[in-house]
Amino acid sequence: MRILAISVLFVLAGLSSCETKQEVREYTIGFSQCTGGDAWRRAMHEEMERELSFYPNLIFEIKDAKNSTQVQQQHIKSFIAAGVDLLVVSPNEAEPITPLVEEAVEKGIPVIIVDRRTASSKYTAYVGANNYEIGQLTGQYIAELLKGKGNIAEVWGLEGSSPAVDRHRGLADVLNNYPDIHTVLKVAGEWEHEIAKAQFARAYHDSLQVDLIFGHNDVMAVGAFESLKSIDKARGKLFVGVDGLSGPNGGLQFVSDGVLNATFLYPTGGEEVINLAHNILEGKPFEKENILSSTAIDSRNVHIMMQQTDKILNQQQNIERQQKRISEQLLVYQNQRNILYVLLGGMVVIIVFGALTLLALQEKKKINKVLIHKNEEVIQQRNEIARMAEKADKATEAKFKFFTNISHEFRTPLTLILGPVEDILKSKVSRELQQDMLLVKSNALRLLNLVNQLMDFRKIENQKMQLQASENDIVSFVKDIAASFNREARKRNISLEVHSEPKTLKVYFDLDKLDKVLFNLLSNAFKFTRNEGKVSLHLSLSDNCDKVIIIVEDNGRGMSQEHLTHAFDRFYTGEALGNLSTGLGLALSKEFVDLHKGEIIVHSEKWKGTRFIVSLPLGKEHLNASEIMSFEPEEVNTLLRDLNIQKAAHLVEEDEQDDITAAKEFTVLLVEDNAELRTFLKNKLSADFNVVVASDGISGIQNAYDTVPDLIISDVMMPGKSGIGLTAALKKDKRTSHIPIMLLTARESLQHKIEGVQSGADLYITKPFNVQYLIEQSKSLIKSRTHLREHYNSALSADAPKVTSPKKQDKKFINEFTALVEEHLADASLSANEIAQLMGMSRVQVYRKTKLLLGYSVNDYVVNVRLKKAKHLLLNSQMNISEIAFTVGFSSSTYFSTNFKNHFKMTPSEFKASHLV
């Protein structure tokens, strides 16, 4: 590890000692060029580019106005808006450009004026020759060349530009000293060769005597030469220009070729502009006015000048070649340095990985030892699991055998039950016994159906379920199944619709299995659809006419996405709405459809309904020969009749609820979601009680508030709200807290009984139960509550209305009621309606609770309290009888005396006199 650390430090030290690039600030320079189309401007650009190669941190951008002042103005504005670090301007015209240059300077942007000047001195620096001096040099040279006498033609540049104005002014000032030299022709060449050539041809005519043509630059002078040569008038005339550029088509070459007699050097200043810009940006000293020198070039010195310029060009080319070689060497150096970095990094990685490999080998040895030990433990656990699995398989097989055997055993007693029941129903019996027998038959058939489902499931598990398909009319078959639900639909006011596109359709299917599938789907649809809902069954052909599609749809409660994925799982009862369910119906339906080589799918959305889609292939090619049966019509009818008998588990009709009458003293509220059991218990309880029924927990609570019964009997497992929830809600409400509650349930574990008692239930009875036991327990609960009421009544007095009570909510009601009566006792208008309103309860609820707990009606109780209060005042106060009557709330002393005599068998005066003795 020490070697590794030393190696890493060495490599890092080597990397840190490598040359680092010094960060250099970059500057942006904007160059607004009036034109870039002539040779002089191109030479300036080339010179700038050569000089910029020495300053890599300068970013140079040129915009060519192409002799348009408006375009140049836009260029300068864009440079200012972009915030360039320095601005170079070669004005097309002086006056229009001056304000923009001044604006840039005011915003802190340095401005270098090149070649042409602006109309003010508000700029950072100027680079260019003195055009006035060049004009003077040219005038002096022309005077000497013409020996003080002759006519000249002047070819102007752009008249608004400062070079043209200054050159003309310098020329004119010198020629004023030579009166025999006259300017006989002025031509606007606008600095361009072709323009000068065309304008000169239009302006010149034979009557003009021109000895010398002076162009403000070389290309215009050459244009005038070519114009005269084309008409053979150039001979004998002298041509003078300005610029003196080197290279082909430059002024030096024109002088050497004899086209021009002379040219005056006008330096481009490109090198000087770049150097000056660099100094300004770096904060180094610089000169504001940078005037470039000029000289005359003619046949006497043109060859020397050409040799010098050629030599300069050669040297520049050599410099460029050397820079290229240097750049290539730098690139090679950078590549080699990068390779070195990669090699050093690779060496570090190799060293690190080598060290990690050594560590990994050591760790691997340790891990291998642990793994060997773990592997031995896993093998032992695997063997143990295998032994346990073998035992579990044997136990499971034993359970399945028991499961099958006991299912068979159920069929025998069910048969023995159904036989006598059928005989009793065929005989003449009372209506009550007939209803009981129908109830026995219905539930026996239901139990038989469950046993059949269990047997079918066992056959599927053992792969012994065999399809027995025959060709039948599926349309009439489906309609017959739907017809068995008409009674249920009418009773619950559910719309049952059956639609079939084909009138008849022959399909190979197993009558028994498809009957179970469709009956189960319709049963579920009715089970989860609210009263006044809608169930529909639709039969059609697929788009390819190769399948029959059966759709069972309802607008019931639907399924959530989570439960939808488990809809066809065996024993899954995730959303049974509190009803007990085997979870086999949909699983068996899917198995039966699969046997038909068909498909069943479900679409559902919570609270919006469910749609089951069953598709069966047409024809018989998809079936094996052993799966096709041939039945005679008589056999088919017999089989269909047997299926209808199996579906005969119809609900017993519920009688209309009778109005609560005074025929029976006590009222019982029965809350049960199973219609058969609800009807059965109602019939049995009606002999002793007024019975009010509710089909679920929510409606049960509302009925308890509305009727305030003497006893509530409720099932535990119900949709919406369970019996436990119903009990807890009613016991917490002062309107119903006094009502005893009896819970009925199939759950018989101790934990469930404790849960029921904790919710506030007074009695917990498990199913199945003896009906007579249920009735006697109901009477006992009501009787005990009556004794409790008598206890409250005996404990009450006018002076101490608050009593103790074993029921917290009952005590709270009595305390509130008695305190309210005591507080408003002097109010003669105090009534049951006013007391109910003050307590936030209905008049019926207050009346029933007062009657149950105190044994009085509200008005009787108020009168009794007033009389007892009056009795106390007669004995312990100096008030007269009239004052006492008004104090305890009687509207007149006469009414008070009458009530007092009726209650105590003497008048108030007699009562007071008897206690004074």
Side-chain angles (χ1 to χ4, degrees):
M1 294 301 293
R2 179 179 296 177
I3 295 174
L4 173 62
I6 293 173
S7 300
V8 172
L9 289 174
F10 173 77
V11 173
L12 292 176
L15 291 173
S16 63
S17 64
C18 293
E19 179 183 1
T20 58
K21 292 183 179 180
Q22 183 178 1
E23 186 176 353
V24 179
R25 180 183 174 186
E26 291 185 343
Y27 297 100
T28 301
I29 300 175
F31 183 17
S32 175
Q33 177 71 282
C34 57
T35 179
D38 58 63
W40 188 86
R41 299 287 173 179
R42 289 193 293 271
M44 176 192 287
H45 295 168
E46 292 174 358
E47 190 173 339
M48 287 179 171
E49 292 293 335
R50 287 195 297 270
E51 193 64 24
L52 283 169
S53 63
F54 296 102
Y55 303 105
N57 64 320
L58 299 182
I59 301 173
F60 198 72
E61 181 181 357
I62 300 176
K63 290 188 177 183
D64 187 356
K66 297 182 180 179
N67 290 320
S68 172
T69 301
Q70 291 78 11
V71 173
Q72 188 172 32
Q73 288 174 329
Q74 294 298 323
H75 288 169
I76 296 174
K77 289 179 182 178
S78 65
F79 279 134
I80 294 173
V84 294
D85 297 294
L86 187 140
L87 182 62
V88 179
V89 179
S90 180
N92 189 53
E93 293 182 272
E95 293 293 340
I97 302 301
T98 299
L100 294 175
V101 172
E102 292 177 346
E103 179 185 349
V105 173
E106 289 174 356
K107 289 186 176 182
I109 301 176
V111 180
I112 299 176
I113 305 299
V114 181
D115 178 27
R116 305 176 181 181
R117 290 185 179 272
T118 59
S120 76
S121 60
K122 197 170 184 180
Y123 50 81
T124 306
Y126 170 78
V127 176
N130 191 326
N131 285 292
Y132 178 77
E133 291 182 358
I134 290 176
Q136 288 182 319
L137 289 173
T138 305
Q140 192 64 43
Y141 185 85
I142 290 173
E144 293 177 357
L145 196 61
L146 293 177
K147 297 180 180 179
K149 184 178 181 181
N151 296 327
I152 66 171
E154 184 178 2
V155 183
W156 276 60
L158 191 64
E159 292 189 5
S161 62
S162 60
V165 174
D166 290 344
R167 291 176 187 181
H168 170 73
R169 189 163 52 86
L171 175 67
D173 288 346
V174 171
L175 293 182
N176 285 336
N177 297 324
Y178 298 93
D180 294 330
I181 298 178
H182 305 285
T183 301
V184 296
L185 180 63
K186 292 182 179 181
V187 178
E190 299 184 9
W191 305 113
E192 298 291 337
H193 171 269
E194 294 300 327
I195 295 176
K197 181 178 179 180
Q199 292 293 338
F200 196 87
R202 282 194 289 268
Y204 180 81
H205 51 85
D206 291 340
S207 61
L208 287 175
Q209 295 294 326
V210 178
D211 300 306
L212 184 142
I213 295 91
F214 167 57
H216 283 191
N217 65 8
D218 291 338
V219 294
M220 290 191 295
V222 172
F225 170 79
E226 291 176 354
S227 177
L228 292 175
K229 186 177 180 181
S230 65
I231 58 175
D232 198 21
K233 299 292 183 178
R235 187 176 300 173
K237 293 181 174 56
L238 303 175
F239 295 88
V240 177
V242 178
D243 279 346
L245 296 177
S246 60
N249 298 320
L252 297 180
Q253 186 64 46
F254 292 139
V255 173
S256 177
D257 294 343
V259 175
L260 298 180
N261 296 89
T263 183
F264 285 85
L265 180 63
Y266 186 68
T268 61
E271 178 182 346
E272 288 77 6
V273 170
I274 300 302
N275 286 326
L276 181 60
H278 180 264
N279 291 337
I280 293 173
L281 292 171
E282 293 290 344
K284 296 179 180 181
F286 64 91
E287 296 289 339
K288 181 174 182 178
E289 300 294 332
N290 298 273
I291 307 302
L292 305 177
S293 60
S294 180
T295 185
I297 304 172
D298 55 16
S299 58
R300 294 172 295 182
N301 60 357
V302 66
H303 295 293
I304 297 173
M305 295 293 293
M306 291 181 67
Q307 289 176 359
Q308 290 177 347
T309 55
D310 290 342
K311 187 173 183 180
I312 291 172
L313 289 174
N314 290 332
Q315 290 177 347
Q316 181 63 35
Q317 291 174 357
N318 290 333
I319 291 172
E320 290 176 356
R321 285 195 299 270
Q322 291 175 359
Q323 287 179 338
K324 184 178 180 181
R325 292 293 301 275
I326 291 171
S327 298
E328 292 173 353
Q329 291 298 321
L330 286 173
L331 181 60
V332 172
Y333 165 72
Q334 290 176 354
N335 291 336
Q336 291 175 346
R337 184 177 61 181
N338 292 337
I339 292 172
L340 177 61
Y341 288 164
V342 172
L343 291 175
L344 290 173
M347 184 177 70
V348 172
V349 172
I350 291 171
I351 294 173
V352 171
F353 273 108
L356 293 176
T357 302
L358 292 175
L359 294 174
L361 289 174
Q362 294 178 356
E363 291 295 325
K364 184 178 179 182
K365 291 179 181 179
K366 295 179 182 178
I367 293 172
N368 283 338
K369 293 180 181 179
V370 176
L371 288 176
I372 292 172
H373 178 69
K374 291 289 184 183
N375 190 39
E376 292 174 354
E377 292 182 354
V378 169
I379 291 174
Q380 293 177 358
Q381 293 174 358
R382 184 191 62 187
N383 295 335
E384 183 66 24
I385 291 172
R387 288 192 293 270
M388 293 174 64
E390 185 178 356
K391 291 181 181 179
D393 289 340
K394 292 180 180 179
T396 302
E397 184 62 27
K399 290 178 181 178
F400 274 125
K401 287 182 179 179
F402 171 77
F403 183 66
T404 304
N405 292 336
I406 199 169
S407 298
H408 280 290
E409 290 298 324
F410 279 140
R411 299 173 70 92
T412 299
L414 286 173
T415 303
L416 295 175
I417 292 172
L418 286 169
V421 168
E422 289 287 350
D423 291 339
I424 293 174
L425 288 172
K426 292 178 182 177
S427 62
K428 294 182 179 181
V429 295
S430 64
R431 182 175 181 273
E432 290 78 8
L433 181 58
Q434 186 180 31
Q435 286 184 337
D436 289 344
M437 290 301 101
L438 285 173
L439 186 62
V440 172
K441 178 183 176 182
S442 173
N443 284 277
L445 288 173
R446 180 177 299 170
L447 185 57
L448 181 61
N449 184 52
L450 290 175
V451 171
N452 290 334
Q453 282 190 345
L454 296 175
M455 298 296 295
D456 290 341
F457 170 70
R458 182 60 176 156
K459 290 179 182 179
I460 291 173
E461 285 287 309
N462 293 331
Q463 297 182 350
K464 293 182 179 180
M465 180 67 72
Q466 180 68 34
L467 191 71
Q468 295 181 335
S470 60
E471 188 177 28
N472 299 284
D473 181 14
I474 197 169
V475 176
S476 61
F477 178 78
V478 168
K479 289 182 177 179
D480 288 342
I481 294 174
S484 63
F485 288 88
N486 287 336
R487 185 181 180 187
E488 175 76 4
R490 288 195 303 271
K491 184 177 68 176
R492 296 175 55 193
N493 200 20
I494 292 176
S495 172
L496 175 60
E497 300 178 357
V498 181
H499 303 282
S500 177
E501 294 180 2
K503 299 300 181 182
T504 59
L505 182 63
K506 294 292 185 178
V507 179
Y508 278 88
F509 62 91
D510 188 314
L511 291 168
D512 176 56
K513 294 177 179 57
L514 190 59
D515 175 87
K516 291 176 179 178
V517 171
L518 297 179
F519 189 80
N520 181 68
L521 295 181
L522 284 169
S523 296
N524 283 341
F526 275 87
K527 180 179 180 181
F528 296 110
T529 299
R530 297 179 297 273
N531 291 349
E532 300 182 355
K534 180 180 179 181
V535 176
S536 64
L537 194 151
H538 187 270
L539 189 145
S540 62
L541 289 174
S542 64
D543 294 337
N544 297 329
C545 294
D546 60 345
K547 293 180 182 179
V548 59
I549 308 297
I550 305 171
I551 299 176
V552 178
E553 186 173 8
D554 64 73
N555 64 347
R557 66 190 296 265
M559 290 182 278
S560 64
Q561 189 60 39
E562 176 186 358
H563 296 297
L564 190 63
T565 57
H566 300 286
F568 298 109
D569 292 353
R570 295 173 183 173
F571 309 113
Y572 182 77
T573 59
E575 293 186 314
L577 273 177
N579 297 317
L580 296 177
S581 172
T582 62
L584 280 176
L586 290 179
L588 282 173
S589 297
K590 187 177 188 310
E591 296 288 351
F592 290 157
V593 173
D594 290 342
L595 285 174
H596 284 82
K597 309 301 186 295
E599 183 182 17
I600 180 171
I601 58 176
V602 57
H603 300 287
S604 184
E605 189 173 349
K606 194 70 173 176
W607 308 116
K608 292 188 178 180
T610 303
R611 173 189 292 180
F612 284 92
I613 303 174
V614 178
S615 60
L616 301 176
L618 299 179
K620 60 181 179 179
E621 290 76 12
H622 58 285
L623 301 175
N624 298 327
S626 60
E627 296 175 330
I628 300 176
M629 301 294 171
S630 177
F631 294 109
E632 295 294 331
E634 289 286 337
E635 295 175 318
V636 173
N637 292 333
T638 301
L639 182 58
L640 290 175
R641 184 171 61 254
D642 292 340
L643 293 177
N644 290 330
I645 292 174
Q646 292 179 20
K647 294 184 298 195
H650 298 303
L651 297 176
V652 178
E653 290 284 356
E654 290 188 70
D655 296 330
E656 292 293 327
Q657 292 187 12
D658 298 327
D659 293 333
I660 298 175
T661 65
K664 301 180 182 67
E665 183 179 1
F666 302 108
T667 300
V668 174
L669 171 61
L670 175 62
V671 187
E672 170 61 56
D673 63 319
N674 185 283
E676 291 177 335
L677 182 57
R678 184 170 65 246
T679 303
F680 175 73
L681 290 178
K682 177 186 176 184
N683 292 336
K684 296 301 180 183
L685 291 169
S686 295
D688 299 286
F689 308 102
N690 296 315
V691 182
V692 179
V693 297
S695 60
D696 56 68
I698 296 175
S699 60
I701 292 175
Q702 189 59 46
N703 278 338
Y705 292 153
D706 295 338
T707 63
V708 192
D710 299 285
L711 173 68
I712 297 174
I713 301 175
S714 174
D715 189 17
V716 172
M717 300 294 292
M718 293 186 298
K721 184 178 284 293
S722 68
I724 301 294
L726 175 142
T727 302
L730 294 179
K731 288 297 183 180
K732 290 178 182 178
D733 195 300
K734 62 183 179 182
R735 296 172 291 179
T736 54
S737 61
H738 66 284
I739 304 174
I741 299 177
M742 181 190 303
L743 291 180
L744 308 177
T745 182
R747 296 177 173 181
E748 56 182 9
S749 68
L750 180 61
Q751 180 62 35
H752 290 132
K753 292 180 180 180
I754 293 174
E755 182 182 359
V757 173
Q758 288 176 342
S759 69
D762 295 84
L763 189 62
Y764 196 93
I765 297 180
T766 58
K767 299 176 183 178
F769 51 82
N770 184 278
V771 176
Q772 189 59 39
Y773 173 75
L774 176 71
I775 294 173
E776 293 302 324
Q777 285 287 2
S778 301
K779 292 178 179 179
S780 177
L781 283 175
I782 295 175
K783 184 178 180 180
S784 64
R785 189 50 56 100
T786 303
H787 290 327
L788 182 63
R789 178 194 64 198
E790 293 173 354
H791 169 72
Y792 290 151
N793 184 40
S794 63
L796 286 172
S797 69
D799 297 321
K802 296 183 179 180
V803 299
T804 59
S805 172
K807 293 291 184 178
K808 182 179 178 181
Q809 289 294 331
D810 294 345
K811 178 180 178 181
K812 181 180 179 182
F813 172 82
I814 293 171
N815 289 342
E816 289 183 1
F817 178 79
T818 55
L820 188 64
V821 172
E822 184 71 22
E823 181 182 356
H824 296 84
L825 195 62
D827 186 0
S829 64
L830 183 65
S831 64
N833 289 334
E834 185 176 356
I835 293 174
Q837 184 177 3
L838 291 172
M839 295 190 70
M841 299 171 64
S842 70
R843 183 181 181 279
V844 174
Q845 290 169 337
V846 173
Y847 177 84
R848 288 185 177 275
K849 286 185 74 73
T850 308
K851 189 73 173 176
L852 286 169
L853 295 175
L854 303 177
Y856 293 108
S857 67
V858 176
N859 291 331
D860 290 344
Y861 177 82
V862 172
V863 170
N864 287 341
V865 173
R866 284 174 170 166
L867 292 175
K868 289 180 181 180
K869 183 70 172 179
K871 175 183 174 183
H872 175 76
L873 293 174
L874 286 170
L875 297 175
N876 299 287
S877 73
Q878 300 299 321
M879 290 187 293
N880 58 38
I881 294 175
S882 297
E883 290 174 339
I884 292 174
F886 288 115
T887 300
V888 296
F890 285 97
S891 58
S892 69
S893 58
T894 303
Y895 180 62
F896 165 63
S897 298
T898 301
N899 279 277
F900 193 89
K901 184 175 182 180
N902 291 335
H903 188 78
F904 294 108
K905 307 305 179 183
M906 62 180 68
T907 65
S909 300
E910 293 172 345
F911 177 81
K912 189 172 183 179
S914 64
H915 284 79
L916 291 176
V917 178

